[in-house]
Amino acid sequence: MWNVLLSFSGLVALIQLLFLPFFPESPPYLLLQKEDKAGCLKAMKQLWGEGNYHTEFDDLLKEKAITKGTKIMNVLEVLRERSVYPQLCTMLLLLLSLQLSGLSATANLQESIIPYVSLGVSISELISIIFCSSIIDRFGRRTLLCGGYLLMALILVLLEISLLLSDQFLWLRYCSVILIFLFIIAYGIGP
């Protein structure tokens, strides 16, 4: 049944593709990139309903004035820009550490359970995206980064303990899976 499971993401992408033409462009994109003021106001009304959006529109105009002399860079230009190397290296190391950590393999589970663990990892990523997007404005990025790193460190210590004791207590293997899910959520919320 893996082919059905894998095709599900393709079905979701197809649905998004079919409905995408019915949604307006992003108001900031229309104003800042395309310089279409009327289109920007129309998109705001279409997205947010009838109302007075002059405050938001004025904010976008201020942003446009601030970024007027700033050049928009493509991916290759960003990769050639030496001033962003520390940020790119940090981001790359974080992504590689999560992908290559082998967290899913460390739980020492039966092969029949691994598909459910993979599904749980995906659900954990979804939870972290929803949770992070709802609290980032309240706490700020710095707090989420620091809290995420601290939470990840604590979870990794608990994971190591559960893995060391999993041969003596078989139920700790399932705790390891839960800790992996929590690690992914902490990673998504923070780094």
mmCIF file with all atom_site columns, all heavy atoms in Angstrom, residues 59-83:
data_model
loop_
_atom_site.group_PDB
_atom_site.id
_atom_site.type_symbol
_atom_site.label_atom_id
_atom_site.label_alt_id
_atom_site.label_comp_id
_atom_site.label_asym_id
_atom_site.label_entity_id
_atom_site.label_seq_id
_atom_site.pdbx_PDB_ins_code
_atom_site.Cartn_x
_atom_site.Cartn_y
_atom_site.Cartn_z
_atom_site.occupancy
_atom_site.B_iso_or_equiv
_atom_site.pdbx_formal_charge
_atom_site.auth_seq_id
_atom_site.auth_comp_id
_atom_site.auth_asym_id
_atom_site.auth_atom_id
_atom_site.pdbx_PDB_model_num
ATOM 1   N N   . ASP A 1 59 ? 1.870  50.791 4.872   1.00 0.00 ? 59 ASP A N   1
ATOM 2   C CA  . ASP A 1 59 ? 3.023  50.031 5.370   1.00 0.00 ? 59 ASP A CA  1
ATOM 3   C C   . ASP A 1 59 ? 3.808  49.407 4.222   1.00 0.00 ? 59 ASP A C   1
ATOM 4   O O   . ASP A 1 59 ? 5.045  49.399 4.227   1.00 0.00 ? 59 ASP A O   1
ATOM 5   C CB  . ASP A 1 59 ? 2.576  48.943 6.345   1.00 0.00 ? 59 ASP A CB  1
ATOM 6   C CG  . ASP A 1 59 ? 2.111  49.493 7.676   1.00 0.00 ? 59 ASP A CG  1
ATOM 7   O OD1 . ASP A 1 59 ? 2.423  50.665 7.979   1.00 0.00 ? 59 ASP A OD1 1
ATOM 8   O OD2 . ASP A 1 59 ? 1.416  48.746 8.402   1.00 0.00 ? 59 ASP A OD2 1
ATOM 9   N N   . LEU A 1 60 ? 3.092  48.885 3.238   1.00 0.00 ? 60 LEU A N   1
ATOM 10  C CA  . LEU A 1 60 ? 3.762  48.305 2.070   1.00 0.00 ? 60 LEU A CA  1
ATOM 11  C C   . LEU A 1 60 ? 4.498  49.383 1.275   1.00 0.00 ? 60 LEU A C   1
ATOM 12  O O   . LEU A 1 60 ? 5.592  49.141 0.756   1.00 0.00 ? 60 LEU A O   1
ATOM 13  C CB  . LEU A 1 60 ? 2.756  47.571 1.184   1.00 0.00 ? 60 LEU A CB  1
ATOM 14  C CG  . LEU A 1 60 ? 2.217  46.254 1.719   1.00 0.00 ? 60 LEU A CG  1
ATOM 15  C CD1 . LEU A 1 60 ? 1.136  45.702 0.799   1.00 0.00 ? 60 LEU A CD1 1
ATOM 16  C CD2 . LEU A 1 60 ? 3.328  45.239 1.892   1.00 0.00 ? 60 LEU A CD2 1
ATOM 17  N N   . LEU A 1 61 ? 3.895  50.568 1.184   1.00 0.00 ? 61 LEU A N   1
ATOM 18  C CA  . LEU A 1 61 ? 4.568  51.674 0.481   1.00 0.00 ? 61 LEU A CA  1
ATOM 19  C C   . LEU A 1 61 ? 5.836  52.092 1.213   1.00 0.00 ? 61 LEU A C   1
ATOM 20  O O   . LEU A 1 61 ? 6.860  52.403 0.586   1.00 0.00 ? 61 LEU A O   1
ATOM 21  C CB  . LEU A 1 61 ? 3.616  52.865 0.323   1.00 0.00 ? 61 LEU A CB  1
ATOM 22  C CG  . LEU A 1 61 ? 2.507  52.711 -0.711  1.00 0.00 ? 61 LEU A CG  1
ATOM 23  C CD1 . LEU A 1 61 ? 1.575  53.912 -0.679  1.00 0.00 ? 61 LEU A CD1 1
ATOM 24  C CD2 . LEU A 1 61 ? 3.084  52.522 -2.108  1.00 0.00 ? 61 LEU A CD2 1
ATOM 25  N N   . LYS A 1 62 ? 5.784  52.113 2.546   1.00 0.00 ? 62 LYS A N   1
ATOM 26  C CA  . LYS A 1 62 ? 6.982  52.434 3.338   1.00 0.00 ? 62 LYS A CA  1
ATOM 27  C C   . LYS A 1 62 ? 8.061  51.378 3.112   1.00 0.00 ? 62 LYS A C   1
ATOM 28  O O   . LYS A 1 62 ? 9.240  51.703 2.960   1.00 0.00 ? 62 LYS A O   1
ATOM 29  C CB  . LYS A 1 62 ? 6.632  52.527 4.826   1.00 0.00 ? 62 LYS A CB  1
ATOM 30  C CG  . LYS A 1 62 ? 5.840  53.748 5.200   1.00 0.00 ? 62 LYS A CG  1
ATOM 31  C CD  . LYS A 1 62 ? 5.462  53.711 6.671   1.00 0.00 ? 62 LYS A CD  1
ATOM 32  C CE  . LYS A 1 62 ? 4.490  54.822 7.006   1.00 0.00 ? 62 LYS A CE  1
ATOM 33  N NZ  . LYS A 1 62 ? 3.982  54.719 8.387   1.00 0.00 ? 62 LYS A NZ  1
ATOM 34  N N   . GLU A 1 63 ? 7.645  50.112 3.109   1.00 0.00 ? 63 GLU A N   1
ATOM 35  C CA  . GLU A 1 63 ? 8.598  49.030 2.854   1.00 0.00 ? 63 GLU A CA  1
ATOM 36  C C   . GLU A 1 63 ? 9.211  49.166 1.466   1.00 0.00 ? 63 GLU A C   1
ATOM 37  O O   . GLU A 1 63 ? 10.411 48.949 1.274   1.00 0.00 ? 63 GLU A O   1
ATOM 38  C CB  . GLU A 1 63 ? 7.895  47.683 2.993   1.00 0.00 ? 63 GLU A CB  1
ATOM 39  C CG  . GLU A 1 63 ? 8.818  46.499 2.805   1.00 0.00 ? 63 GLU A CG  1
ATOM 40  C CD  . GLU A 1 63 ? 8.106  45.171 2.957   1.00 0.00 ? 63 GLU A CD  1
ATOM 41  O OE1 . GLU A 1 63 ? 7.013  45.131 3.541   1.00 0.00 ? 63 GLU A OE1 1
ATOM 42  O OE2 . GLU A 1 63 ? 8.660  44.168 2.471   1.00 0.00 ? 63 GLU A OE2 1
ATOM 43  N N   . LYS A 1 64 ? 8.391  49.543 0.508   1.00 0.00 ? 64 LYS A N   1
ATOM 44  C CA  . LYS A 1 64 ? 8.883  49.733 -0.856  1.00 0.00 ? 64 LYS A CA  1
ATOM 45  C C   . LYS A 1 64 ? 9.905  50.860 -0.900  1.00 0.00 ? 64 LYS A C   1
ATOM 46  O O   . LYS A 1 64 ? 10.936 50.756 -1.576  1.00 0.00 ? 64 LYS A O   1
ATOM 47  C CB  . LYS A 1 64 ? 7.722  50.026 -1.799  1.00 0.00 ? 64 LYS A CB  1
ATOM 48  C CG  . LYS A 1 64 ? 8.141  50.193 -3.236  1.00 0.00 ? 64 LYS A CG  1
ATOM 49  C CD  . LYS A 1 64 ? 6.957  50.457 -4.126  1.00 0.00 ? 64 LYS A CD  1
ATOM 50  C CE  . LYS A 1 64 ? 7.444  50.632 -5.555  1.00 0.00 ? 64 LYS A CE  1
ATOM 51  N NZ  . LYS A 1 64 ? 6.367  50.925 -6.463  1.00 0.00 ? 64 LYS A NZ  1
ATOM 52  N N   . ALA A 1 65 ? 9.648  51.950 -0.165  1.00 0.00 ? 65 ALA A N   1
ATOM 53  C CA  . ALA A 1 65 ? 10.584 53.072 -0.132  1.00 0.00 ? 65 ALA A CA  1
ATOM 54  C C   . ALA A 1 65 ? 11.904 52.664 0.518   1.00 0.00 ? 65 ALA A C   1
ATOM 55  O O   . ALA A 1 65 ? 12.979 53.069 0.068   1.00 0.00 ? 65 ALA A O   1
ATOM 56  C CB  . ALA A 1 65 ? 9.959  54.251 0.607   1.00 0.00 ? 65 ALA A CB  1
ATOM 57  N N   . ILE A 1 66 ? 11.824 51.862 1.552   1.00 0.00 ? 66 ILE A N   1
ATOM 58  C CA  . ILE A 1 66 ? 13.037 51.416 2.246   1.00 0.00 ? 66 ILE A CA  1
ATOM 59  C C   . ILE A 1 66 ? 13.872 50.497 1.360   1.00 0.00 ? 66 ILE A C   1
ATOM 60  O O   . ILE A 1 66 ? 15.098 50.598 1.310   1.00 0.00 ? 66 ILE A O   1
ATOM 61  C CB  . ILE A 1 66 ? 12.666 50.710 3.569   1.00 0.00 ? 66 ILE A CB  1
ATOM 62  C CG1 . ILE A 1 66 ? 12.106 51.729 4.560   1.00 0.00 ? 66 ILE A CG1 1
ATOM 63  C CG2 . ILE A 1 66 ? 13.868 50.002 4.167   1.00 0.00 ? 66 ILE A CG2 1
ATOM 64  C CD1 . ILE A 1 66 ? 11.500 51.105 5.802   1.00 0.00 ? 66 ILE A CD1 1
ATOM 65  N N   . THR A 1 67 ? 13.207 49.611 0.630   1.00 0.00 ? 67 THR A N   1
ATOM 66  C CA  . THR A 1 67 ? 13.914 48.615 -0.179  1.00 0.00 ? 67 THR A CA  1
ATOM 67  C C   . THR A 1 67 ? 14.127 49.065 -1.618  1.00 0.00 ? 67 THR A C   1
ATOM 68  O O   . THR A 1 67 ? 14.506 48.251 -2.455  1.00 0.00 ? 67 THR A O   1
ATOM 69  C CB  . THR A 1 67 ? 13.141 47.280 -0.186  1.00 0.00 ? 67 THR A CB  1
ATOM 70  O OG1 . THR A 1 67 ? 11.853 47.504 -0.743  1.00 0.00 ? 67 THR A OG1 1
ATOM 71  C CG2 . THR A 1 67 ? 13.029 46.699 1.204   1.00 0.00 ? 67 THR A CG2 1
ATOM 72  N N   . LYS A 1 68 ? 13.908 50.336 -1.887  1.00 0.00 ? 68 LYS A N   1
ATOM 73  C CA  . LYS A 1 68 ? 13.982 50.822 -3.270  1.00 0.00 ? 68 LYS A CA  1
ATOM 74  C C   . LYS A 1 68 ? 15.362 50.589 -3.890  1.00 0.00 ? 68 LYS A C   1
ATOM 75  O O   . LYS A 1 68 ? 15.481 50.160 -5.011  1.00 0.00 ? 68 LYS A O   1
ATOM 76  C CB  . LYS A 1 68 ? 13.622 52.305 -3.328  1.00 0.00 ? 68 LYS A CB  1
ATOM 77  C CG  . LYS A 1 68 ? 13.485 52.827 -4.730  1.00 0.00 ? 68 LYS A CG  1
ATOM 78  C CD  . LYS A 1 68 ? 12.984 54.249 -4.735  1.00 0.00 ? 68 LYS A CD  1
ATOM 79  C CE  . LYS A 1 68 ? 12.703 54.691 -6.158  1.00 0.00 ? 68 LYS A CE  1
ATOM 80  N NZ  . LYS A 1 68 ? 12.145 56.029 -6.203  1.00 0.00 ? 68 LYS A NZ  1
ATOM 81  N N   . GLY A 1 69 ? 16.412 50.843 -3.162  1.00 0.00 ? 69 GLY A N   1
ATOM 82  C CA  . GLY A 1 69 ? 17.758 50.678 -3.706  1.00 0.00 ? 69 GLY A CA  1
ATOM 83  C C   . GLY A 1 69 ? 18.304 49.270 -3.558  1.00 0.00 ? 69 GLY A C   1
ATOM 84  O O   . GLY A 1 69 ? 19.390 48.964 -4.034  1.00 0.00 ? 69 GLY A O   1
ATOM 85  N N   . THR A 1 70 ? 17.555 48.392 -2.915  1.00 0.00 ? 70 THR A N   1
ATOM 86  C CA  . THR A 1 70 ? 18.014 47.029 -2.666  1.00 0.00 ? 70 THR A CA  1
ATOM 87  C C   . THR A 1 70 ? 17.775 46.166 -3.897  1.00 0.00 ? 70 THR A C   1
ATOM 88  O O   . THR A 1 70 ? 16.692 46.155 -4.467  1.00 0.00 ? 70 THR A O   1
ATOM 89  C CB  . THR A 1 70 ? 17.259 46.424 -1.471  1.00 0.00 ? 70 THR A CB  1
ATOM 90  O OG1 . THR A 1 70 ? 17.394 47.284 -0.357  1.00 0.00 ? 70 THR A OG1 1
ATOM 91  C CG2 . THR A 1 70 ? 17.804 45.057 -1.126  1.00 0.00 ? 70 THR A CG2 1
ATOM 92  N N   . LYS A 1 71 ? 18.806 45.448 -4.265  1.00 0.00 ? 71 LYS A N   1
ATOM 93  C CA  . LYS A 1 71 ? 18.700 44.555 -5.419  1.00 0.00 ? 71 LYS A CA  1
ATOM 94  C C   . LYS A 1 71 ? 18.183 43.199 -4.967  1.00 0.00 ? 71 LYS A C   1
ATOM 95  O O   . LYS A 1 71 ? 18.646 42.634 -3.987  1.00 0.00 ? 71 LYS A O   1
ATOM 96  C CB  . LYS A 1 71 ? 20.068 44.391 -6.072  1.00 0.00 ? 71 LYS A CB  1
ATOM 97  C CG  . LYS A 1 71 ? 20.047 43.507 -7.290  1.00 0.00 ? 71 LYS A CG  1
ATOM 98  C CD  . LYS A 1 71 ? 21.439 43.253 -7.815  1.00 0.00 ? 71 LYS A CD  1
ATOM 99  C CE  . LYS A 1 71 ? 21.356 42.248 -8.951  1.00 0.00 ? 71 LYS A CE  1
ATOM 100 N NZ  . LYS A 1 71 ? 22.609 41.583 -9.167  1.00 0.00 ? 71 LYS A NZ  1
ATOM 101 N N   . ILE A 1 72 ? 17.211 42.674 -5.684  1.00 0.00 ? 72 ILE A N   1
ATOM 102 C CA  . ILE A 1 72 ? 16.693 41.341 -5.397  1.00 0.00 ? 72 ILE A CA  1
ATOM 103 C C   . ILE A 1 72 ? 17.617 40.330 -6.060  1.00 0.00 ? 72 ILE A C   1
ATOM 104 O O   . ILE A 1 72 ? 17.896 40.417 -7.254  1.00 0.00 ? 72 ILE A O   1
ATOM 105 C CB  . ILE A 1 72 ? 15.252 41.200 -5.906  1.00 0.00 ? 72 ILE A CB  1
ATOM 106 C CG1 . ILE A 1 72 ? 14.357 42.187 -5.168  1.00 0.00 ? 72 ILE A CG1 1
ATOM 107 C CG2 . ILE A 1 72 ? 14.750 39.775 -5.713  1.00 0.00 ? 72 ILE A CG2 1
ATOM 108 C CD1 . ILE A 1 72 ? 12.952 42.232 -5.693  1.00 0.00 ? 72 ILE A CD1 1
ATOM 109 N N   . MET A 1 73 ? 18.083 39.382 -5.257  1.00 0.00 ? 73 MET A N   1
ATOM 110 C CA  . MET A 1 73 ? 19.076 38.430 -5.734  1.00 0.00 ? 73 MET A CA  1
ATOM 111 C C   . MET A 1 73 ? 18.425 37.077 -6.013  1.00 0.00 ? 73 MET A C   1
ATOM 112 O O   . MET A 1 73 ? 17.516 36.661 -5.307  1.00 0.00 ? 73 MET A O   1
ATOM 113 C CB  . MET A 1 73 ? 20.167 38.264 -4.671  1.00 0.00 ? 73 MET A CB  1
ATOM 114 C CG  . MET A 1 73 ? 20.863 39.566 -4.314  1.00 0.00 ? 73 MET A CG  1
ATOM 115 S SD  . MET A 1 73 ? 21.899 39.442 -2.856  1.00 0.00 ? 73 MET A SD  1
ATOM 116 C CE  . MET A 1 73 ? 23.239 38.487 -3.472  1.00 0.00 ? 73 MET A CE  1
ATOM 117 N N   . ASN A 1 74 ? 18.932 36.404 -7.041  1.00 0.00 ? 74 ASN A N   1
ATOM 118 C CA  . ASN A 1 74 ? 18.482 35.045 -7.280  1.00 0.00 ? 74 ASN A CA  1
ATOM 119 C C   . ASN A 1 74 ? 19.364 34.094 -6.464  1.00 0.00 ? 74 ASN A C   1
ATOM 120 O O   . ASN A 1 74 ? 20.286 34.522 -5.780  1.00 0.00 ? 74 ASN A O   1
ATOM 121 C CB  . ASN A 1 74 ? 18.491 34.703 -8.774  1.00 0.00 ? 74 ASN A CB  1
ATOM 122 C CG  . ASN A 1 74 ? 19.872 34.771 -9.381  1.00 0.00 ? 74 ASN A CG  1
ATOM 123 O OD1 . ASN A 1 74 ? 20.875 34.523 -8.712  1.00 0.00 ? 74 ASN A OD1 1
ATOM 124 N ND2 . ASN A 1 74 ? 19.940 35.105 -10.654 1.00 0.00 ? 74 ASN A ND2 1
ATOM 125 N N   . VAL A 1 75 ? 19.092 32.806 -6.542  1.00 0.00 ? 75 VAL A N   1
ATOM 126 C CA  . VAL A 1 75 ? 19.783 31.829 -5.710  1.00 0.00 ? 75 VAL A CA  1
ATOM 127 C C   . VAL A 1 75 ? 21.284 31.825 -5.973  1.00 0.00 ? 75 VAL A C   1
ATOM 128 O O   . VAL A 1 75 ? 22.102 31.801 -5.040  1.00 0.00 ? 75 VAL A O   1
ATOM 129 C CB  . VAL A 1 75 ? 19.191 30.420 -5.929  1.00 0.00 ? 75 VAL A CB  1
ATOM 130 C CG1 . VAL A 1 75 ? 19.978 29.381 -5.162  1.00 0.00 ? 75 VAL A CG1 1
ATOM 131 C CG2 . VAL A 1 75 ? 17.728 30.387 -5.530  1.00 0.00 ? 75 VAL A CG2 1
ATOM 132 N N   . LEU A 1 76 ? 21.683 31.864 -7.232  1.00 0.00 ? 76 LEU A N   1
ATOM 133 C CA  . LEU A 1 76 ? 23.110 31.842 -7.552  1.00 0.00 ? 76 LEU A CA  1
ATOM 134 C C   . LEU A 1 76 ? 23.821 33.085 -7.024  1.00 0.00 ? 76 LEU A C   1
ATOM 135 O O   . LEU A 1 76 ? 24.958 33.008 -6.542  1.00 0.00 ? 76 LEU A O   1
ATOM 136 C CB  . LEU A 1 76 ? 23.318 31.705 -9.056  1.00 0.00 ? 76 LEU A CB  1
ATOM 137 C CG  . LEU A 1 76 ? 22.943 30.349 -9.646  1.00 0.00 ? 76 LEU A CG  1
ATOM 138 C CD1 . LEU A 1 76 ? 23.097 30.367 -11.163 1.00 0.00 ? 76 LEU A CD1 1
ATOM 139 C CD2 . LEU A 1 76 ? 23.779 29.252 -9.033  1.00 0.00 ? 76 LEU A CD2 1
ATOM 140 N N   . GLU A 1 77 ? 23.166 34.233 -7.103  1.00 0.00 ? 77 GLU A N   1
ATOM 141 C CA  . GLU A 1 77 ? 23.770 35.458 -6.577  1.00 0.00 ? 77 GLU A CA  1
ATOM 142 C C   . GLU A 1 77 ? 23.914 35.398 -5.062  1.00 0.00 ? 77 GLU A C   1
ATOM 143 O O   . GLU A 1 77 ? 24.906 35.870 -4.510  1.00 0.00 ? 77 GLU A O   1
ATOM 144 C CB  . GLU A 1 77 ? 22.931 36.676 -6.983  1.00 0.00 ? 77 GLU A CB  1
ATOM 145 C CG  . GLU A 1 77 ? 23.002 36.981 -8.463  1.00 0.00 ? 77 GLU A CG  1
ATOM 146 C CD  . GLU A 1 77 ? 22.016 38.045 -8.893  1.00 0.00 ? 77 GLU A CD  1
ATOM 147 O OE1 . GLU A 1 77 ? 20.974 38.217 -8.233  1.00 0.00 ? 77 GLU A OE1 1
ATOM 148 O OE2 . GLU A 1 77 ? 22.292 38.701 -9.912  1.00 0.00 ? 77 GLU A OE2 1
ATOM 149 N N   . VAL A 1 78 ? 22.947 34.798 -4.393  1.00 0.00 ? 78 VAL A N   1
ATOM 150 C CA  . VAL A 1 78 ? 23.039 34.637 -2.940  1.00 0.00 ? 78 VAL A CA  1
ATOM 151 C C   . VAL A 1 78 ? 24.206 33.714 -2.596  1.00 0.00 ? 78 VAL A C   1
ATOM 152 O O   . VAL A 1 78 ? 24.969 33.975 -1.666  1.00 0.00 ? 78 VAL A O   1
ATOM 153 C CB  . VAL A 1 78 ? 21.710 34.094 -2.362  1.00 0.00 ? 78 VAL A CB  1
ATOM 154 C CG1 . VAL A 1 78 ? 21.877 33.686 -0.916  1.00 0.00 ? 78 VAL A CG1 1
ATOM 155 C CG2 . VAL A 1 78 ? 20.613 35.124 -2.490  1.00 0.00 ? 78 VAL A CG2 1
ATOM 156 N N   . LEU A 1 79 ? 24.366 32.644 -3.363  1.00 0.00 ? 79 LEU A N   1
ATOM 157 C CA  . LEU A 1 79 ? 25.468 31.715 -3.100  1.00 0.00 ? 79 LEU A CA  1
ATOM 158 C C   . LEU A 1 79 ? 26.834 32.351 -3.350  1.00 0.00 ? 79 LEU A C   1
ATOM 159 O O   . LEU A 1 79 ? 27.825 31.958 -2.738  1.00 0.00 ? 79 LEU A O   1
ATOM 160 C CB  . LEU A 1 79 ? 25.310 30.448 -3.947  1.00 0.00 ? 79 LEU A CB  1
ATOM 161 C CG  . LEU A 1 79 ? 24.121 29.555 -3.584  1.00 0.00 ? 79 LEU A CG  1
ATOM 162 C CD1 . LEU A 1 79 ? 24.008 28.399 -4.562  1.00 0.00 ? 79 LEU A CD1 1
ATOM 163 C CD2 . LEU A 1 79 ? 24.236 29.045 -2.162  1.00 0.00 ? 79 LEU A CD2 1
ATOM 164 N N   . ARG A 1 80 ? 26.904 33.330 -4.235  1.00 0.00 ? 80 ARG A N   1
ATOM 165 C CA  . ARG A 1 80 ? 28.173 34.024 -4.506  1.00 0.00 ? 80 ARG A CA  1
ATOM 166 C C   . ARG A 1 80 ? 28.456 35.140 -3.511  1.00 0.00 ? 80 ARG A C   1
ATOM 167 O O   . ARG A 1 80 ? 29.579 35.618 -3.430  1.00 0.00 ? 80 ARG A O   1
ATOM 168 C CB  . ARG A 1 80 ? 28.139 34.604 -5.920  1.00 0.00 ? 80 ARG A CB  1
ATOM 169 C CG  . ARG A 1 80 ? 28.242 33.558 -6.996  1.00 0.00 ? 80 ARG A CG  1
ATOM 170 C CD  . ARG A 1 80 ? 28.358 34.209 -8.364  1.00 0.00 ? 80 ARG A CD  1
ATOM 171 N NE  . ARG A 1 80 ? 27.864 33.287 -9.361  1.00 0.00 ? 80 ARG A NE  1
ATOM 172 C CZ  . ARG A 1 80 ? 26.935 33.552 -10.260 1.00 0.00 ? 80 ARG A CZ  1
ATOM 173 N NH1 . ARG A 1 80 ? 26.408 34.741 -10.329 1.00 0.00 ? 80 ARG A NH1 1
ATOM 174 N NH2 . ARG A 1 80 ? 26.535 32.638 -11.105 1.00 0.00 ? 80 ARG A NH2 1
ATOM 175 N N   . GLU A 1 81 ? 27.461 35.568 -2.787  1.00 0.00 ? 81 GLU A N   1
ATOM 176 C CA  . GLU A 1 81 ? 27.610 36.680 -1.841  1.00 0.00 ? 81 GLU A CA  1
ATOM 177 C C   . GLU A 1 81 ? 28.285 36.193 -0.558  1.00 0.00 ? 81 GLU A C   1
ATOM 178 O O   . GLU A 1 81 ? 27.721 35.422 0.206   1.00 0.00 ? 81 GLU A O   1
ATOM 179 C CB  . GLU A 1 81 ? 26.233 37.275 -1.529  1.00 0.00 ? 81 GLU A CB  1
ATOM 180 C CG  . GLU A 1 81 ? 26.257 38.440 -0.582  1.00 0.00 ? 81 GLU A CG  1
ATOM 181 C CD  . GLU A 1 81 ? 26.952 39.651 -1.166  1.00 0.00 ? 81 GLU A CD  1
ATOM 182 O OE1 . GLU A 1 81 ? 26.790 39.914 -2.382  1.00 0.00 ? 81 GLU A OE1 1
ATOM 183 O OE2 . GLU A 1 81 ? 27.674 40.323 -0.414  1.00 0.00 ? 81 GLU A OE2 1
ATOM 184 N N   . ARG A 1 82 ? 29.495 36.651 -0.312  1.00 0.00 ? 82 ARG A N   1
ATOM 185 C CA  . ARG A 1 82 ? 30.270 36.186 0.838   1.00 0.00 ? 82 ARG A CA  1
ATOM 186 C C   . ARG A 1 82 ? 29.675 36.614 2.185   1.00 0.00 ? 82 ARG A C   1
ATOM 187 O O   . ARG A 1 82 ? 29.876 35.942 3.184   1.00 0.00 ? 82 ARG A O   1
ATOM 188 C CB  . ARG A 1 82 ? 31.707 36.662 0.747   1.00 0.00 ? 82 ARG A CB  1
ATOM 189 C CG  . ARG A 1 82 ? 32.480 36.009 -0.376  1.00 0.00 ? 82 ARG A CG  1
ATOM 190 C CD  . ARG A 1 82 ? 33.968 36.350 -0.252  1.00 0.00 ? 82 ARG A CD  1
ATOM 191 N NE  . ARG A 1 82 ? 34.733 35.648 -1.248  1.00 0.00 ? 82 ARG A NE  1
ATOM 192 C CZ  . ARG A 1 82 ? 35.216 34.420 -1.090  1.00 0.00 ? 82 ARG A CZ  1
ATOM 193 N NH1 . ARG A 1 82 ? 34.992 33.790 0.019   1.00 0.00 ? 82 ARG A NH1 1
ATOM 194 N NH2 . ARG A 1 82 ? 35.909 33.842 -2.048  1.00 0.00 ? 82 ARG A NH2 1
ATOM 195 N N   . SER A 1 83 ? 28.950 37.712 2.196   1.00 0.00 ? 83 SER A N   1
ATOM 196 C CA  . SER A 1 83 ? 28.430 38.212 3.474   1.00 0.00 ? 83 SER A CA  1
ATOM 197 C C   . SER A 1 83 ? 27.356 37.300 4.071   1.00 0.00 ? 83 SER A C   1
ATOM 198 O O   . SER A 1 83 ? 27.079 37.382 5.266   1.00 0.00 ? 83 SER A O   1
ATOM 199 C CB  . SER A 1 83 ? 27.867 39.625 3.298   1.00 0.00 ? 83 SER A CB  1
ATOM 200 O OG  . SER A 1 83 ? 26.756 39.614 2.427   1.00 0.00 ? 83 SER A OG  1
#
